[in-house]
Amino acid sequence: MRNTLAAAERSDAGKAARIQIGEAAARRHTAPIASMLFWAAFCASTVIALHKLSAGWAARQGSYRTGVLTVSVFLLAALYPVRKYTLRLSLRWLRLASRLPRAWAVRLLLLDRLETWRVVHVTLGVFAMLPFWWHIQFGRRSLLELALEILVMLLVLSGFLGSMVEDFLPARMLKMGNPEVRLEDVEAASHGLYVEAEELVLGHSEGLVHSYLLCVRPILAGSQPSRTLLWATLTGNSPASAVCEPARLLAGGFGAEAAAFHDLVNIAERKVNLDHNQFNLRLSTAWLRLHRRLAISVLLLIIFHVTGVLYFAGI
């Protein structure tokens, strides 16, 4: 009875979680900007054009002004994760909206959507490259400044990667029918398939059991190479058929037991699809971990850089 209730609770939680894929895919159509990757590319093109047009003006501003401007834009861009992971800012925003007329309050609340903040974050992150570009043109760079320059470029590139992943992956997962949106659900389903196959193979001939141990169980107990799963994501094709085809070809040699071996291969195909599902889930968050680490590294180097500048300036 307890197992039944636990399974029902996991099923309800899984059903609620699966809705998130469709919501993530549909959100691309309701967000202020449908494709963040194209928007980021447009902002980058604008930065390049403005840099060409402002070369003379930037040279007159000096390193201190351009440095202050660069840090200011970076700090504004950093407000997005603050808004994303804390409710205090939204609560204050709601209090402000409650004091305004309804029409203005609705507009203000729309501005507080995470999608709107994300657009602002990407825009500021890309446009921060303009004052940063001006700033690095003054004087010779030390090793610290060179490291900071490289990390800032990697930070922006990781942001472009994230925009591409978040534009592309939810719709692709929805199209391919990836059923799970939580890693723990994938692991539970994979374990269930392994148990199902082990029970199904019991009582069959020695030849079938040997083929199962040789060709099917490694698929159930292992995982597919990342390059195979990445290529399947990029092409939109399920990797299960290709991976399990050698095992399926053996079924014809088992006579009356062929149907049972086909069932075992079907279980293996479902396991490969779960591996692909798991890979896509990890891909959807791996870039963010990289982005966060780069952002923290950039912040630390900026602190060292600013501290050094103030120290040598005698401030």
Side-chain angles (χ1 to χ4, degrees), residues 50-51 54-55 57-58 66 69 129-138:
L50 290 175
H51 182 264
S54 62
W57 180 86
T66 55
L69 182 58
M129 294 300 96
L130 182 58
F132 182 73
W133 201 348
W134 294 334
H135 184 68
I136 62 177
Q137 294 177 344
F138 294 99

Side-chain angles (χ1 to χ4, degrees), residues 52-277:
K52 294 291 185 182
L53 295 173
S54 62
W57 180 86
R60 295 192 297 269
Q61 302 309 306
S63 60
Y64 287 102
R65 290 180 180 177
T66 55
V68 170
L69 182 58
T70 302
V71 172
S72 300
V73 180
F74 273 134
L75 290 176
L76 288 174
L79 289 177
Y80 172 63
V82 175
R83 163 61 182 88
K84 187 175 181 180
Y85 296 108
T86 62
L87 293 176
R88 184 173 300 177
L89 187 60
S90 284
L91 291 175
R92 293 184 177 180
W93 202 277
L94 284 172
R95 290 172 185 170
L96 176 61
S98 64
R99 301 169 185 171
L100 298 174
R102 178 177 175 77
W104 285 99
V106 170
R107 292 187 179 93
L108 195 63
L109 293 177
L110 288 176
L111 289 175
D112 191 45
R113 294 171 60 199
L114 282 178
E115 289 83 0
T116 306
W117 279 84
R118 184 167 174 258
V119 171
V120 174
H121 174 73
V122 172
T123 304
L124 290 174
V126 176
F127 271 94
M129 294 300 96
L130 182 58
F132 182 73
W133 201 348
W134 294 334
H135 184 68
I136 62 177
Q137 294 177 344
F138 294 99
R140 295 181 59 184
R141 293 189 290 277
S142 65
L143 290 178
L144 175 65
E145 293 166 340
L146 183 60
L148 177 58
E149 181 179 340
I150 293 172
L151 284 176
V152 167
M153 292 179 180
L154 290 176
L155 177 63
V156 174
L157 288 176
S158 68
F160 273 95
L161 175 63
S163 297
M164 181 176 65
V165 168
E166 293 194 357
D167 277 357
F168 169 79
L169 200 55
R172 178 52 56 90
M173 291 179 68
L174 189 64
K175 179 181 177 181
M176 299 186 69
N178 290 161
E180 308 294 350
V181 296
R182 300 187 304 177
L183 289 174
E184 54 266 33
D185 292 337
V186 175
E187 293 170 359
S190 297
H191 177 71
L193 290 177
Y194 182 85
V195 173
E196 181 182 351
E198 291 288 303
E199 293 176 349
L200 182 60
V201 78
L202 295 176
H204 288 284
S205 66
E206 183 178 347
L208 186 145
V209 173
H210 178 74
S211 296
Y212 164 76
L213 294 176
L214 185 65
C215 300
V216 178
R217 183 189 267 181
I219 298 175
L220 296 172
S223 58
Q224 299 305 307
S226 296
R227 61 180 181 275
T228 301
L229 301 176
L230 177 61
W231 180 250
T233 298
L234 294 175
T235 58
N237 297 320
S238 172
S241 298
V243 171
C244 298
E245 184 64 23
R248 191 173 293 282
L249 293 176
L250 299 176
F254 295 118
E257 293 184 314
F261 196 79
H262 275 299
D263 289 340
L264 289 170
V265 176
N266 289 338
I267 293 174
E269 287 188 347
R270 287 156 58 193
K271 170 59 166 60
V272 173
N273 285 329
L274 283 173
D275 288 343
H276 190 206
N277 192 162

